[in-house]
Amino acid sequence: MGMSAAAQFHVLAVDDSLIDRMLIERLLKTSSFHVTTVDSAIKALQYLGMVEDKLKGYETPEIHQNAEVNVNLIITDYCMPEMTGHDLLRKIKESNSLKDIPVVIMSSENVPSRINRCLEDGAEEFFLKPVQQSDVNKLKPHLLKSRSKEEEETQPINNNKRKQESSAPFNKNSYKIKI
Amino acid sequence: MERSQPRRQVAAMKQSLFDQGLLDEQFIQLEELSDDANPNFVEEIVTLYYRDSSRLISSIEQALKERHTLDFNKLDTLMHQFKGSSSSIGAKKVKAECTLFREYCRTGNAEGCMKTFQQLKKEYASLRKKLEAYFQLARQAGPMETACRPK
């Protein structure tokens, strides 16, 4: 599938609440995002190409498979059974291939320590529920920044210090993840 | 003018729901998400709310039957979910009852939980009827500029 220069941003929304999934999907689509929703953190990891290694937990396989996933932003609820949004955030940031994807956390509870911990662990934003259009409007700058950084890093000379840490065999800077 | 009469009735009905403290700003946010492609978004999400939350109501009801050995953690978790959905559709009074219920869970007050839950169910059912009437009237009135903010 060819992607034009003005390709839509693809957002993966994670929430165990059916109502909240419907709401976030509508909010995101109103902002012209392409949206995929899943109802758990584990399903989100699977969608992103992570598989469960019995010894190591979830990780991205080294072997390329057929499917291709292109996610530009992940927005996730905090309180979910089995795996919280915070756990999901950490798994994403620990993954070489996924760590540059911006992650946003949503929560109905205003707990400063929770908010700070999420932001410290790499979340771009923390939205209090119910999420508003004004919150969603804050997403585009993060996405545009990521996209321009991505374009910059495909140049032969770059001085982005993050790239120095990359040891991934495939081009992790494209968010297309071959799984 | 004849055409504007039903629309004024719809606006008046909505105003009334706000005046009674049944709905909050979130309901307006939902209306702002309706467009030509999704003209019935609010009705759809409210319908889904009632369908989806009925199982939570049943679970809470069931858990409250334990009477003398209430699992307050479980009740609080269930109510947290229900409160979240109620908040997302702007159900102000229902949400307030949820908050009260969770307070009683926190203090281990079984009586408080049971009383509050009865009140919550009343508010929940009453709101459903009122919203059904509102949506019916809105459909009859035809498309109107959405998200008219009540005073």
Side-chain angles (χ1 to χ4, degrees), chain A residues 19-20 22 26 108-109 132, chain B residues 26 29 33 35 38 88:
Chain A
I19 297 304
D20 288 348
M22 186 172 173
R26 189 79 209 104
S108 55
E109 287 170 324
Q132 314 279 286
Chain B
Q26 178 61 15
Q29 296 287 324
L33 290 171
D35 58 19
N38 303 268
S88 292

Side-chain angles (χ1 to χ4, degrees), chain A residues 53-172:
Chain A
D53 181 300
K54 297 271 181 270
L55 296 173
K56 299 182 200 171
Y58 278 86
E59 61 168 39
T60 321
E62 302 290 341
I63 304 156
H64 295 233
Q65 289 168 27
N66 292 324
E68 204 174 275
V69 173
N70 189 351
V71 171
N72 304 115
L73 184 137
I74 296 157
I75 182 163
T76 178
D77 187 27
Y78 184 93
C79 281
M80 294 187 290
E82 291 173 6
M83 193 185 284
T84 68
H86 182 249
D87 294 331
L88 176 61
L89 167 69
R90 292 185 60 191
K91 288 257 182 284
I92 289 164
K93 293 304 168 187
E94 284 163 14
S95 159
N96 272 328
S97 57
L98 302 177
K99 68 184 179 195
D100 289 333
I101 303 178
V103 180
V104 170
I105 312 269
M106 308 178 276
S107 178
S108 55
E109 287 170 324
N110 190 351
V111 181
S113 58
R114 172 187 294 183
I115 297 172
N116 288 331
R117 195 177 52 218
C118 287
L119 294 173
E120 278 164 20
D121 288 348
E124 304 290 337
E125 299 272 356
F126 191 104
F127 296 156
L128 283 175
K129 285 181 162 185
V131 177
Q132 314 279 286
Q133 193 63 61
S134 55
D135 295 316
V136 173
N137 294 342
K138 293 179 191 169
L139 298 177
K140 279 229 168 92
H142 293 293
L143 288 159
L144 290 167
K145 190 172 69 181
S146 293
R147 181 163 279 182
S148 68
K149 189 191 293 188
E150 184 188 344
E151 283 161 7
E152 194 184 281
E153 285 175 349
T154 58
Q155 303 296 319
I157 297 162
N158 72 81
N159 49 15
N160 185 339
K161 56 187 173 202
R162 270 199 223 177
K163 192 159 174 140
Q164 292 164 9
E165 293 163 311
S166 163
S167 55
F170 47 88
N171 180 14
K172 71 153 178 74

Side-chain angles (χ1 to χ4, degrees), chain B residues 8-138:
Chain B
R8 271 182 289 155
Q9 283 177 337
V10 175
M13 193 183 273
K14 182 160 68 177
Q15 181 68 53
S16 169
L17 293 170
F18 275 81
D19 290 343
Q20 293 172 64
L22 301 176
L23 296 175
D24 62 27
E25 172 70 23
Q26 178 61 15
F27 192 81
I28 302 295
Q29 296 287 324
L30 295 180
E31 289 190 320
E32 284 177 353
L33 290 171
S34 295
D35 58 19
D36 292 336
N38 303 268
N40 303 311
F41 176 70
V42 191
E43 186 172 359
E44 285 164 11
I45 200 169
V46 168
T47 302
L48 192 65
Y49 163 75
Y50 276 99
R51 194 155 13 121
D52 185 58
S53 58
S54 66
R55 55 169 183 89
L56 277 169
I57 297 277
S58 297
S59 299
I60 296 169
E61 189 106 58
Q62 203 51 45
L64 283 171
K65 285 205 170 110
E66 302 301 315
R67 296 230 160 231
H68 299 295
T69 52
L70 291 187
D71 183 345
F72 290 108
N73 275 331
K74 180 178 179 180
L75 284 166
D76 187 63
T77 302
L78 289 168
M79 190 51 78
H80 167 79
Q81 291 177 56
F82 181 69
K83 181 183 169 183
S85 300
S86 305
S87 169
S88 292
I89 65 149
K92 188 175 181 181
K93 231 174 215 179
V94 172
K95 180 181 167 182
E97 296 297 335
C98 295
T99 303
L100 192 55
F101 185 94
R102 293 188 76 195
E103 258 307 299
Y104 285 127
C105 286
R106 207 181 57 81
T107 56
N109 185 334
E111 178 96 23
C113 282
M114 288 190 271
K115 276 207 179 119
T116 306
F117 187 63
Q118 293 311 311
Q119 187 58 31
L120 185 153
K121 280 194 294 179
K122 280 203 189 109
E123 296 292 345
Y124 174 76
S126 165
L127 179 65
R128 180 183 206 158
K129 285 205 176 74
K130 288 173 180 169
L131 285 175
E132 276 168 1
Y134 172 74
F135 290 131
Q136 186 167 26
L137 196 64

